[in-house]
Amino acid sequence: MKKILGITILLVLVCVFTAVVNPNFLGAYNVGNVVKWTSLFAILGIGAAFVIITGGIDLSIGSVVGLVGTMLPWLLVKKGWSVPAALGAGMSVSLLIGLIHGVLVTKLRLPAFVVTLCGLLIYRGVARTITHDQDQGFEGKFDSLRWLATGRVQLPGDYWLPIPFFIMLGIAILAAIFLNKTVWGRHLLALGRNEDAARYSGIRTERMIMLAYVLCSFLSGLGGILFALELNSVQPAGHGNFYELYAIAAAVLGGCSLRGGEGSILGVIIGAAVMRVLSNSINVLGQASQVEFAIIGVVILLGVTADELLRRRRKA
């Protein structure tokens, strides 16, 4: 709870500072855009949180976003598949990827870092190969499908809430219930704290770890679809690049310990909001956008440092 409170205060301070320096930060269009991109990255962050809570890591999130996001317009426009078939194929691929990650990590005992790093390269390569590295787009069609990412609910004044916000909200509620109110969620947290102890107490740790990777890939695939629908044009070589960093940073910033066993869904959402607000503030204040990656690196480093200091304090 202290971590969430701290990151919430940081979010408020960044918002206040940026709004004072440039009042356009609170404009209706800018606020709506920040909420939309926060929602999209929060979906990825929630998926990353499940894996991090088990003590693992998934570096392939960005490439899963790229593969599934590229497949959607490619199947719809180039191959003429129906919308349900294309969506089903994309989500099936993401589920299969998560299952493969889980099996390799639990059955073959391969390091999660290596498995997902290889996945990062493989899925990006597959996306570029099946499309011959050509940009994919919806060619002005499928407006009703694109509404999932571009639709909005009007609020009083010129303000609005994007549809991805409601999708993220639904996912967050389900994820929070799963993590905090079900026996499987408690098992997930327990194995993250001490996998051996969890196994000896009867928890099927391998199944829970596989479930975490499947959920992470599923949400990455869903995010890939929403990002593709929002952007309307997808570059196989660049779609989703470095998104795993945003997802991991949001989870760590939101209170997930990279050692496993800790994390909250609310914290991940606030962490994603901090990342997007910082990015938006850099643009609004006219700073070089390249500094964004430096900020992400600093955020992850600070999160890990704070986690280590808190761990030592508990032991003392």
Side-chain angles (χ1 to χ4, degrees), residues 7-20:
I7 197 64
T8 303
I9 293 173
L10 174 62
L11 176 62
V12 172
L13 289 176
V14 173
C15 288
V16 170
F17 174 78
T18 309
V20 169

Side-chain angles (χ1 to χ4, degrees), residues 43-44 46-51 58 61 91 94-95 97-99 171 174-175 178-179 184 188 208-222:
I43 291 173
L44 303 184
I46 292 171
F50 280 116
V51 172
D58 191 339
I61 291 173
M91 297 317 301
S94 59
L95 287 171
I97 288 172
L99 184 60
I171 291 171
L174 291 176
F178 173 82
L179 197 60
W184 301 287
L188 209 61
M208 297 308 301
I209 292 173
M210 281 194 273
L211 177 61
Y213 281 96
V214 168
L215 288 173
C216 181
S217 287
F218 175 79
L219 292 178
S220 299
L222 177 61

Side-chain angles (χ1 to χ4, degrees), residues 152-175:
R152 58 180 64 178
V153 174
Q154 201 65 38
L155 297 177
D158 293 329
Y159 289 91
W160 47 276
L161 283 175
I163 296 302
F165 169 78
F166 297 99
I167 296 174
M168 181 276 293
L169 189 62
I171 291 171
I173 292 173
L174 291 176

Side-chain angles (χ1 to χ4, degrees), residues 107-249:
K107 300 298 183 183
L108 296 184
R109 292 291 174 186
L110 298 180
F113 175 86
V114 175
V115 170
T116 56
L117 181 62
C118 293
L120 179 151
L121 299 171
I122 293 170
Y123 313 139
R124 181 67 61 189
V126 171
R128 298 180 67 173
T129 300
I130 62 175
T131 59
H132 302 290
D133 222 6
Q134 298 297 310
D135 291 359
Q136 305 296 312
F138 297 97
E139 299 184 349
K141 306 172 185 175
F142 307 103
D143 288 341
S144 56
L145 179 61
R146 291 196 63 226
W147 177 84
L148 289 173
T150 61
R152 58 180 64 178
V153 174
Q154 201 65 38
L155 297 177
D158 293 329
Y159 289 91
W160 47 276
L161 283 175
I163 296 302
F165 169 78
F166 297 99
I167 296 174
M168 181 276 293
L169 189 62
I171 291 171
I173 292 173
L174 291 176
I177 292 174
F178 173 82
L179 197 60
N180 301 307
K181 301 296 182 183
T182 69
V183 65
W184 301 287
R186 290 192 288 273
H187 286 179
L188 209 61
L189 290 164
L191 82 87
R193 294 187 186 107
N194 190 323
E195 185 176 348
D196 290 334
R199 187 183 304 111
Y200 291 138
S201 65
I203 296 174
R204 296 181 174 178
T205 55
E206 291 187 350
R207 289 189 181 184
M208 297 308 301
I209 292 173
M210 281 194 273
L211 177 61
Y213 281 96
V214 168
L215 288 173
C216 181
S217 287
F218 175 79
L219 292 178
S220 299
L222 177 61
I225 289 173
L226 293 175
F227 276 111
L229 294 173
E230 160 60 25
L231 296 172
N232 198 23
S233 179
V234 177
Q235 296 176 324
H239 186 59
N241 261 351
F242 299 116
Y243 282 11
E244 61 276 358
L245 297 183
Y246 290 101
I248 293 170

Side-chain angles (χ1 to χ4, degrees), residues 52-82:
I52 291 174
I53 285 172
T54 67
I57 194 78
D58 191 339
L59 299 178
S60 68
I61 291 173
S63 290
V64 175
V65 168
L67 175 59
V68 178
T70 300
M71 282 178 60
L72 183 63
W74 179 69
L75 291 175
L76 288 173
V77 177
K78 301 294 183 184
K79 300 299 178 182
W81 286 30
S82 65

